[in-house]
Amino acid sequence: PALVEPGAPLSPADLDRFARHVLLPALGELGQRRLRNARVCVVGAGGLGSPVLLYLAAAGVGTIGIVDSDTVELSNLQRQTIHGTADVGRSKVDSAAEAVAAIEPAIEVVAHPLRLTPGTVDLLNGYDLVVDGTDSFVTRYLVNDACVRSGLPEVWGSVLRFDAQVSVFWGRPPAGSGVAPVQLRDLFPHPPEPGSVPSCAEAGVLGALCGQVGALMATEAIKLITGAGRPLLGRVLVLDGLAQRWNEIPLRRTVVAADHMSTTDAAGEPHGHAAPEDASPERLRGLRQYDVPTVAAATLAGLLLADSPITVLDVREPAELATGVIHGAVSIPLGELLSGRRLDALPSLRPVVVVCHAGVRSEVAARFLLRSGVPDVSHLAGGMLTWHGELTAVDGTPR
C-alpha cells in the first residue's frame, strides 16, 4: 500500500514540472500528490545521500530532512556530487540544503546538523520514511532500531570499493498491512567490532557506484511513498560493480522486534560494511582486556633512523599500500593476521609496532598479538594519516 496520503491538487506549474511522472500509470497525478505530501529524512549527505537527495528533490518530495554533522572535504568531491569545490569547509547539511532548494524551491528542507545518538535519534519520528546513507555501523544500527521502535520503513544501502548492497527494511509494519516484518538485524544481527574491517576512507570506493546505488535507493523511496511496484522488502540486491552483475538474496525475519538501543561509539569512527569470518565480534571482544601502548610518528621515525631492532607491521589491505608505506614494514592484512596463519612471518624477540590507516585496525591487531604471546607490541598513534602529515621522509625514503 502507498505509504503517504495524497496532498492538495497539483498546481498548473506542478503539472508542468512533473509531467513525465503524471504520465506514468503506476504513479500519475495521485502519486505525485503523495510525493508532495511526503516527509522523508535522509541520514547522511555523502556518497549515497547525494544522489538520493537530488532525485527526491527532483521528484517533488514535499519535505526533506537532512542529517549530517560533517563538513565538506576535498576528498568528498569524487563521489559526493551534491557538493562542489566552493563548498569545501562548509557544513554538508547547508551545502546539500542549498542544492535541494536550487532544484525545487517549494520543497521544505529541514536541516539537522548533528550526529545521531540515542539522545537525538527520535527526530526521525517526524518523518514518513527514513533513507540511511551513512558509513558508520554505529549509526546504521541506531537508525534501524529507532525505525523498528517507531514503525518507520527504511531504505538502506551500502558501498565499499566496487561492491554494494541495497534493501528496504520495515521491522514493525502496521497491523493488517500484509507486509512481512524485516530489519537490518535480520541481515546482520550485530555490528562488527570497531576497526575489524576497513572503511571507505581506508579501502576506497568507486564514485560512480555511489550514484548508481543512490539512484536505486531514491527509486525505492518513491515506490514506497506512492505504492508503485514491488519494493525491496524481504530482498537484498548485491552488486558486483566490476562485473556489473546484480544478485538478489531473499531475506526473512530472524529476530523479534524489540526496543533495541545501539551502543554508542565514543570515538565516532566510521567503519566498513562486512565483518570477516575470522574477526567475529565474539572473538574480538576478548581482546579488549589488553592495553596497547601507542608510539608517536616522530618517535617511530627516530627508532627507524637509529636502526633500532624493531618490526613494523602494516595491517592495511594491499590496495591501500599504494598511498605509501614505511620502509621495511611487514605487510599482513588484518583479516589474515587474525586468522593466526601469518604469525610466523613476524621475527621473534623483536618489538613490534603495528600501523594502519588511522590507528583503529592497528589497535585491534596489537591486542591480538599480545593475546597470542608477542611480548612487546605497540601501535602507531593516528596511523599513516599522522605519519604522512608529520613526516616527509625517513631514512631518505619519500613518504
Side-chain angles (χ1 to χ4, degrees):
L3 183 65
V4 177
E5 291 298 316
L10 300 178
S11 68
D14 285 338
L15 287 170
D16 190 19
R17 177 185 285 267
F18 305 114
R20 302 303 185 271
H21 271 181
V22 174
L23 290 172
L24 296 172
L27 202 154
E29 190 263 351
L30 193 64
Q32 192 62 52
R33 287 167 57 193
R34 295 183 193 276
L35 289 169
R36 267 291 189 228
N37 204 32
R39 297 178 57 86
V40 179
C41 187
V42 179
V43 184
L48 293 177
S50 290
V52 170
L53 287 164
L54 292 172
Y55 276 109
L56 291 184
V61 170
T63 301
I64 298 178
I66 308 173
V67 179
D68 204 306
S69 62
D70 291 339
T71 56
V72 180
E73 299 178 2
L74 187 62
S75 62
N76 298 152
L77 304 184
Q78 162 258 7
R79 65 202 177 281
Q80 300 181 18
T81 53
I82 203 166
H83 313 295
T85 302
D87 296 315
V88 172
R90 295 182 65 197
S91 162
K92 285 187 179 179
V93 164
D94 292 341
S95 172
E98 189 175 282
V100 168
I103 292 173
E104 167 56 300
I107 291 174
E108 179 184 355
V109 181
V110 183
H112 302 283
L114 50 81
R115 187 181 185 89
L116 288 182
T117 67
T120 61
V121 74
D122 285 345
L123 68 84
L124 301 179
N125 293 342
Y127 294 91
D128 303 306
L129 172 66
V130 176
V131 180
D132 180 5
T134 62
D135 63 355
S136 163
F137 278 124
V138 172
T139 305
R140 287 182 178 277
Y141 281 83
L142 186 68
V143 169
N144 172 82
D145 297 345
C147 287
V148 173
R149 288 195 303 271
S150 302
L152 290 171
E154 173 191 354
V155 178
W156 173 88
S158 69
V159 292
L160 186 67
R161 296 189 175 118
F162 296 94
D163 303 308
Q165 303 169 28
V166 184
S167 191
V168 173
F169 304 131
W170 205 344
R172 188 173 287 169
S177 64
V179 176
V182 67
Q183 58 163 302
L184 175 62
R185 292 183 183 273
D186 295 315
L187 183 61
F188 301 114
H190 305 287
E193 284 291 303
S196 62
V197 289
S199 67
C200 289
E202 297 166 323
V205 61
L206 181 65
L209 184 67
C210 295
Q212 184 177 358
V213 174
L216 178 56
M217 293 169 69
T219 300
E220 289 301 302
I222 291 169
K223 287 162 57 181
L224 286 165
I225 292 167
T226 63
R230 179 190 173 202
L232 281 172
L233 283 162
R235 298 181 291 152
V236 182
L237 291 185
V238 180
L239 172 63
D240 177 348
L242 285 179
Q244 203 57 261
R245 180 181 296 113
W246 287 98
N247 291 302
E248 182 178 303
I249 300 173
L251 180 65
R252 61 182 177 84
R253 188 181 190 184
T254 58
V255 300
V256 178
D259 288 337
H260 295 293
M261 181 56 73
S262 300
T263 57
T264 58
D265 181 358
E269 289 285 345
H271 308 304
H273 302 278
E277 292 180 2
D278 50 16
S280 64
E282 291 76 15
R283 183 174 186 181
L284 291 177
R285 279 193 199 101
L287 305 181
R288 288 178 177 169
Q289 61 182 295
Y290 296 94
D291 292 327
V292 182
T294 59
V295 175
T299 302
L300 178 58
L303 291 171
L304 293 173
L305 286 170
D307 244 352
S308 298
I310 62 173
T311 297
V312 178
L313 172 62
D314 194 325
V315 296
R316 294 176 295 166
E317 296 297 310
E320 296 178 80
L321 304 182
T323 62
V325 297
I326 295 177
H327 184 67
V330 176
S331 174
I332 305 177
L334 179 62
E336 293 185 31
L337 181 73
L338 295 177
S339 72
R341 294 189 297 267
R342 299 286 304 278
L343 287 176
D344 57 355
L346 297 176
S348 59
L349 304 179
R350 293 183 64 174
V352 176
V353 180
V354 190
V355 303
C356 69
H357 177 72
V360 179
R361 284 172 288 170
S362 60
E363 184 175 0
V364 174
R367 286 198 176 106
F368 173 78
L369 292 175
L370 287 170
R371 194 187 71 170
S372 300
V374 180
D376 191 346
V377 183
S378 58
H379 77 110
L380 177 61
M384 294 299 289
L385 287 177
T386 301
W387 181 266
H388 290 310
E390 295 185 6
L391 304 172
T392 56
V394 171
D395 200 20
T397 304
R399 295 291 178 252

